[in-house]
Amino acid sequence: MHADPKGVLTGVHFIDGDHACCEGTLAAGARFAAGYPITPSTEVVERFASRIPTIGGIFIQMEDELAASIAIQGAVWGGAKAFTVTSGPGFSLMMEHIGYAAITETPCVFIDVQRGGPSTGLPTLPAQADMMQARWGSHGDYGIVALCPNSPQECFDLAVTAFNLSEEFRVPVMMMLDECVGHMTEKVVIPEAESIAVTPRRYTKRPPAEYRPFEPMVDLVPEMVKAGDGYRFHVTGLTHDERGYPSMHGDTQDRMVRRLQDKLKPLANGRALCETEDLDDAEVVVVSYEITSRVAQRALQAARRQGIRAGKFRLVSAWPFPSARIRELAGRVKAFVVPELNLGQMALEVERAAQGKARTISVSHAGGTVHDPDTILEAILEAAR
Amino acid sequence: MNETTLEIPCEIPEDARNPVEPFLRMDRMPHIWCAGCGIGTTVNCFTRALLDSKANLDKVAVVSGIGCTGRVAGYARLDSFHTTHGRAIPFATGLKLANPELQVVVYSGDGDLFAIGGNHFIHAARRNMDLKVICVNNMIYAMTGGQTAPTTPGTAITATAPYGVSEPTFNLASLAEAAGASYVARWTTYHVKQLARSMEEVLKRKGFCFIEVLSPCPTLYQRRNKMGDGLDAMKDYKAKSKVRNGAPTGECALSMTGEIVVGKFVDRERPDYLELLRAQMTETLGDRYAEPEVSCCSEG
Amino acid sequence: MAKGFVAIMAERCKGCGFCVEFCPTRVLTLSSAFNSKGYHPPYPVAAEKCSGCDLCGMYCPDFAIFGGRHAR
Ligand SMILES: Cc1ncc(C[n+]2csc(CCOP(=O)(O)OP(=O)(O)O)c2C)c(N)n1
Ligand code: SF4
Ligand code: SF4
Ligand code: SF4
Ligand SMILES: [Mg+2]
């Protein structure tokens, strides 16, 4: 299926990451957004609010982020593709509903434009310190997907991908921008609608009598229905069986929770999204994402000019984490260098995946600005020694 | 003794069926509610209202929060959503806006709707979102063991106020009216006919409607306060309630032992959220305004 | 013959007594027998007075009783 031309602003634009993100959601078919204003993410819904009335859809500014993050899920069960947008404190408030989307397998997108924290922190300045929160912020075990654009163009492209993955796996997908990417203005090319692939919702073709709302298909993902179509189905945030009925048994819990993680395995392995360069003969690999990947690019070039065999591994999908790829690399490189605008979050994952076969050097930065490329270069030089 | 062996000295037609059954997920019975709990009684009234309103049941959705009352969603044989604590109203808001032909009923407890969810309640009322909110007010957080709710009347003993509640309560009817609700009524589980009629009325009506139902919680509210069992609460409702339709909501506050004013207090026409949205958008955008078509369809 | 009938699913009953108390014609009383959960279900002691109004059905929190009118 391809995009509905009504939402696609085909052409060449000069817009920032937040605006490009909004265009991506429209191209993906989102016709419902709920939000609550917060810097540096509000521009996404501001643009949506101005665009949607002539396309045919709804933006509602809710009373808080708790409301926004559950209103989108009501809309999804009413048949919409829907998303919400936030930053920092608002993302913290949404955590319970990321869990709700995970357990009810509600396809939806959360856009988080990261700023410095904790608490109110640095409202207008960048950080990448929500990466672990995105993965583990709600209580319990579950899986999510997190995508990490590093340019306005990618904000557009990955917003479409985010919706597509959320539909394919029936999972909440996080779009992890940072303030720099959100506010950076660059050329964004939006293609014709016909060349934008859009994943349709996995609506069941079974009649109500034969339909069981949480019965997994071969890929572990159940088929969906929406309210109003005569299925008289039940959705609950309690642990539930294949009928969707609450079940307080350990074995139901085990089956459900494992499936919520296992259904995402293809994304952890073969289908993990990443951008790599010069890995074949690399002795040092720089693992980075979002704005930091662009700063790291400078350091990588400088390192290569100095004769260091430095390779690049950019996380485009940070979650599920591409453990298998990192593990494979760990067997043949000396070290990983992980610069990030936090005190070492994804570095922990790299270290875990490397299983001690290669060193992991965290180049931490508390946020507010970006790294000095020389700091990353120094780490690369030290790693190659 | 089993389902059929109690011999009843009257002839029961073979095809006789409990009128609630078609509306319930009978495969989930027995339900979790205690002996003498009033929640089931409110459900009877709701099913009668569904029947009498001739609503198309495929187009009625129930949304609940968390609590004993929150379990209603799980028993109603409708499209039904058991959401998170306090957030039934914003979930219902999204559901309604995505599919406006649905009649969306929010069915939840006093703690859920007015403590953790209080902000959502007042904003949905302000927007006149087309939702029918039914609040089972047992004056307590029942599900979690009988802690103080914003509706627990002064001096009552609760699990978290072992020496008596000192905080003032919300008057829910007055709060709903002030926030902008189109329709506000209060009944008790004693008033089954009136409650069913109110529920029927709101099912046929647009706008944000609120029905408060006082309901016994013998297990957690009454026991601690030596107020007897469910039947004692019902008798108390009968003795203490006074029907005063149109009464100023400000005069209808509840207390632990005082009079219970019941009736339909507010019934006023206000354009609802979608009507207001459409009017504003057509005003500013004219022909460029596109009616929301929020639903996405599958391939093929 | 009575105008109405009352049907009781004794196993679902939790013995709250709502139906007995609020039957307008006082058709019911709680039986001395127990159901398997240990509750006393209602029993029609004056079945001939049943109007089939189904008020018992509207009150019963456990969906264990209902009334109906005989077709004539
Ligand atoms: C975020 C969150 N906080 C607390 C709880 C625990 N909790 C479950 S139900 C409930 C209170 C329910 O009270 P009420 O809405 O009056 O429902 P009732 O059980 O009385 O019908 C609480 C505090 C929860 N489930 N989620
Ligand atoms: S605890 Fe109270 S409200 Fe909950 S089921 Fe029992 S009686 Fe009803
Ligand atoms: S109202 Fe229902 S539960 Fe209560 S005594 Fe009568 S039949 Fe039993
Ligand atoms: S149907 Fe009416 S008259 Fe008959 S037992 Fe029930 S309440 Fe009493
Ligand atoms: Mg309560």
Side-chain angles (χ1 to χ4, degrees):
Chain A
M1 196 166 134
H2 61 70
D4 171 3
K6 265 194 296 196
V8 183
L9 203 63
T10 303
V12 179
H13 308 272
F14 192 61
I15 51 180
D16 74 13
D18 282 354
H19 286 252
C21 222
C22 171
E23 290 304 328
T25 67
L26 288 167
R31 296 293 179 266
F32 185 94
Y36 188 83
I38 188 164
T39 306
S41 66
T42 320
E43 291 91 330
V44 183
V45 287
E46 285 173 354
R47 188 178 180 105
F48 195 87
S50 89
R51 293 263 286 127
I52 200 66
T54 57
I55 294 173
I58 289 197
F59 167 68
I60 182 166
Q61 182 176 321
M62 295 301 286
E63 49 275 13
D64 58 30
E65 288 86 350
L66 289 150
S69 56
I70 196 82
I72 60 168
Q73 300 187 47
V76 168
W77 285 101
K81 289 194 177 182
F83 70 99
T84 187
V85 180
T86 194
S87 296
F91 198 48
S92 291
L93 288 181
M94 290 183 179
M95 288 301 129
E96 188 182 10
H97 292 148
I98 291 174
Y100 189 75
I103 197 173
T104 58
E105 302 184 67
T106 302
C108 55
V109 173
F110 292 76
I111 300 170
D112 176 25
V113 187
Q114 297 168 85
R115 65 190 226 182
S119 192
T120 313
L122 300 171
T124 58
L125 299 171
Q128 301 173 309
D130 305 353
M131 298 305 293
M132 281 292 171
Q133 184 185 25
R135 175 64 189 89
W136 300 108
S138 202
H139 56 284
D141 279 317
Y142 57 95
I144 54 99
V145 175
L147 305 180
C148 305
N150 78 348
S151 68
Q153 179 67 52
E154 228 181 32
C155 285
F156 175 86
D157 297 339
L158 289 183
V160 177
T161 308
F163 275 93
N164 288 349
L165 292 175
S166 80
E167 297 295 343
E168 180 180 353
F169 292 95
R170 282 190 60 181
V171 70
V173 177
M174 316 291 127
M175 276 283 281
M176 305 302 287
L177 281 64
D178 55 61
E179 187 275 336
C180 285
V181 171
H183 283 163
M184 154 195 300
T185 299
E186 285 183 347
K187 185 170 106 173
V188 174
V189 181
I190 300 182
E192 304 278 336
E194 299 86 82
S195 54
I196 301 174
V198 164
T199 306
R201 184 147 298 164
R202 300 174 59 149
Y203 283 129
T204 190
K205 293 196 168 63
R206 295 185 195 193
E210 290 163 28
Y211 172 69
R212 300 203 312 156
F214 291 89
E215 179 187 348
M217 301 292 109
V218 282
D219 61 355
L220 302 183
V221 182
E223 293 181 327
M224 219 171 149
V225 289
K226 64 178 161 59
D229 289 351
Y231 282 83
R232 312 266 191 102
F233 60 102
H234 182 55
V235 172
T236 176
L238 287 165
T239 294
H240 45 264
D241 60 20
E242 283 69 20
R243 294 170 302 174
Y245 289 176
S247 162
M248 299 296 108
H249 293 293
D251 51 347
T252 317
Q253 165 76 357
D254 187 80
R255 204 163 61 238
M256 185 192 74
V257 169
R258 286 186 196 282
R259 186 173 63 71
L260 293 180
Q261 287 213 4
D262 289 349
K263 69 178 179 180
L264 294 172
K265 275 198 177 143
L267 289 178
N269 303 321
R271 288 178 55 192
L273 303 175
C274 55
E275 185 188 302
T276 59
E277 260 170 42
D278 303 321
L279 288 185
D280 289 345
D281 65 344
E283 49 182 342
V284 176
V285 173
V286 176
V287 181
S288 62
Y289 52 95
E290 300 153 17
I291 190 58
T292 308
S293 65
R294 297 176 66 148
V295 182
Q297 191 73 20
R298 266 280 281 281
L300 278 165
Q301 284 159 0
R304 277 187 224 122
R305 274 198 300 272
Q306 297 188 25
I308 310 270
R309 282 177 284 124
K312 158 171 153 186
F313 192 106
R314 176 162 78 92
L315 297 167
V316 177
S317 57
W319 303 114
F321 188 75
S323 303
R325 295 286 307 272
I326 296 292
R327 194 170 310 130
E328 182 264 316
L329 282 170
R332 57 187 174 86
V333 305
K334 278 192 194 156
F336 294 102
V337 169
V338 190
E340 45 188 342
L341 297 181
N342 58 53
L343 300 190
Q345 297 192 5
M346 298 312 287
L348 285 174
E349 274 306 288
V350 174
E351 192 169 29
R352 185 187 59 77
Q355 294 181 327
K357 290 190 213 142
R359 251 195 329 150
T360 301
I361 299 169
S362 164
V363 188
S364 65
H365 184 305
T369 59
V370 295
H371 288 82
D372 178 344
D374 287 344
T375 322
I376 303 174
L377 177 62
E378 276 161 32
I380 297 173
L381 297 177
E382 132 91 17
R385 228 172 269 140
Chain B
M1 196 155 67
N2 61 36
E3 288 265 1
T4 50
T5 54
L6 183 76
E7 266 183 50
I8 292 179
C10 68
E11 264 175 61
I12 299 170
E14 248 175 54
D15 57 353
R17 206 157 60 123
N18 191 332
V20 299
E21 291 188 8
F23 299 91
L24 299 178
R25 301 182 193 277
M26 292 311 292
D27 53 346
R28 293 211 55 215
M29 294 299 141
H31 57 54
I32 63 158
W33 299 313
C34 310
C37 173
I39 299 172
T41 304
T42 73
V43 171
N44 288 325
C45 299
F46 182 55
T47 62
R48 269 38 166 215
L50 287 170
L51 192 67
D52 294 342
S53 68
K54 302 193 173 60
N56 175 356
L57 298 185
D58 287 346
K59 303 291 177 191
V60 181
V62 174
V63 183
S64 291
I66 304 295
C68 293
T69 313
R71 294 304 183 99
V72 168
Y75 298 128
R77 208 166 75 76
L78 298 165
D79 291 334
S80 60
F81 301 91
H82 184 223
T83 64
T84 53
H85 190 28
R87 319 301 169 197
I89 285 179
F91 183 100
T93 297
L95 185 64
K96 176 74 195 182
L97 294 180
N99 192 348
E101 65 169 14
L102 294 175
Q103 181 65 271
V104 181
V105 178
V106 172
Y107 214 124
S108 217
D110 48 323
D112 185 84
L113 287 167
F114 291 97
I116 191 165
N119 196 28
H120 310 310
F121 182 93
I122 57 175
H123 285 280
R126 169 180 67 79
R127 297 182 179 113
N128 201 21
M129 197 57 70
D130 187 15
L131 302 176
K132 317 298 155 209
V133 180
I134 297 165
C135 173
V136 174
N137 181 3
N138 49 21
M139 302 187 156
I140 200 83
Y141 282 10
M143 176 64 95
T144 40
Q147 298 84 6
T148 312
T151 43
T152 312
T155 78
I157 306 292
T158 73
T160 44
Y163 309 112
V165 169
S166 52
E167 293 180 16
T169 58
F170 272 143
N171 171 345
L172 304 184
S174 158
L175 180 69
E177 180 180 21
S182 291
Y183 180 107
V184 180
R186 176 197 288 150
W187 300 105
T188 77
T189 44
Y190 165 70
H191 300 90
V192 284
K193 292 262 179 194
Q194 295 94 323
L195 174 58
R197 213 170 305 124
S198 259
M199 287 173 165
E200 180 190 344
E201 206 165 46
V202 301
L203 285 172
K204 291 176 172 162
R205 194 186 188 296
K206 271 202 157 197
F208 188 89
C209 300
F210 175 59
I211 303 175
E212 173 186 10
V213 193
L214 291 190
S215 171
C217 172
T219 311
L220 291 162
Y221 176 60
Q222 291 164 244
R223 191 172 49 85
R224 272 200 189 89
N225 290 291
K226 302 193 169 48
M227 294 169 87
D229 60 11
L231 184 57
D232 291 312
M234 295 290 272
K235 289 179 183 164
D236 201 52
Y237 294 156
K238 183 178 173 184
K240 296 212 182 98
S241 55
K242 210 176 233 140
V243 181
R244 277 179 67 198
N245 290 313
T249 53
E251 295 170 13
C252 301
L254 296 166
S255 64
M256 201 161 158
T257 50
E259 182 179 85
I260 303 169
V261 182
V262 295
K264 176 165 83 176
F265 304 136
V266 177
D267 190 351
R268 57 188 172 189
E269 288 305 317
R270 284 180 63 207
D272 75 7
Y273 176 87
L274 280 172
E275 288 164 347
L276 289 166
L277 179 73
R278 187 172 298 123
Q280 179 63 27
M281 292 299 144
T282 352
E283 170 80 24
T284 45
L285 291 168
D287 289 349
R288 290 174 52 223
Y289 176 58
E291 275 297 314
E293 264 181 57
V294 170
S295 216
C296 65
C297 48
S298 67
E299 202 161 19
Chain C
M1 199 178 90
K3 273 196 350 216
F5 64 87
V6 53
I8 299 164
M9 279 115 324
E11 275 307 305
R12 284 191 206 160
C13 170
K14 294 197 191 124
C16 68
F18 291 5
C19 56
V20 174
E21 177 74 20
F22 299 116
C23 167
T25 50
R26 309 216 64 88
V27 170
L28 304 162
T29 187
L30 286 186
S31 127
S32 57
F34 292 101
N35 66 12
S36 67
K37 287 184 284 197
Y39 295 111
H40 297 290
Y43 181 77
V45 277
E48 71 289 351
K49 288 201 251 165
C50 177
S51 68
C53 68
D54 190 38
L55 258 186
C56 49
M58 288 190 78
Y59 277 109
C60 177
D62 290 273
F63 319 124
I65 190 170
F66 65 98
R69 297 208 161 90
H70 286 297
R72 289 216 251 155

